[in-house]
Amino acid sequence: MVMATASYATAFTCKGYTDSQQVGEAIVVNASKAIVAETKAYQRMKKAGLKIDIVRCQ
């Protein structure tokens, strides 16, 4: 079951923004959907100490 779930994961490039300005560097997150990738990236960036308002992933 784990292998089947992992095969649907896609690599997303995510950037954090504050006041329409990019904060830090883009990170790569593996997730099944963009919204899941944005949530993961937001948590990683916050843990790294970045102050961000929003995360966008492509």
Side-chain angles (χ1 to χ4, degrees):
M1 185 67 162
V2 173
M3 254 197 303
T5 305
S7 66
Y8 293 109
T10 303
F12 290 91
T13 301
C14 303
K15 299 176 184 176
Y17 296 91
T18 297
D19 296 328
S20 301
Q21 298 292 322
Q22 183 176 337
V23 177
E25 294 189 19
I27 63 171
V28 176
V29 177
N30 292 314
S32 58
K33 299 179 188 177
I35 190 70
V36 176
E38 289 172 355
T39 302
K40 286 182 175 183
Y42 182 84
Q43 291 172 348
R44 288 184 190 174
M45 290 176 183
K46 281 293 195 180
K47 187 175 180 180
L50 297 175
K51 295 184 188 281
I52 55 173
D53 293 330
I54 194 165
V55 174
R56 293 286 181 220
C57 298
Q58 298 179 350

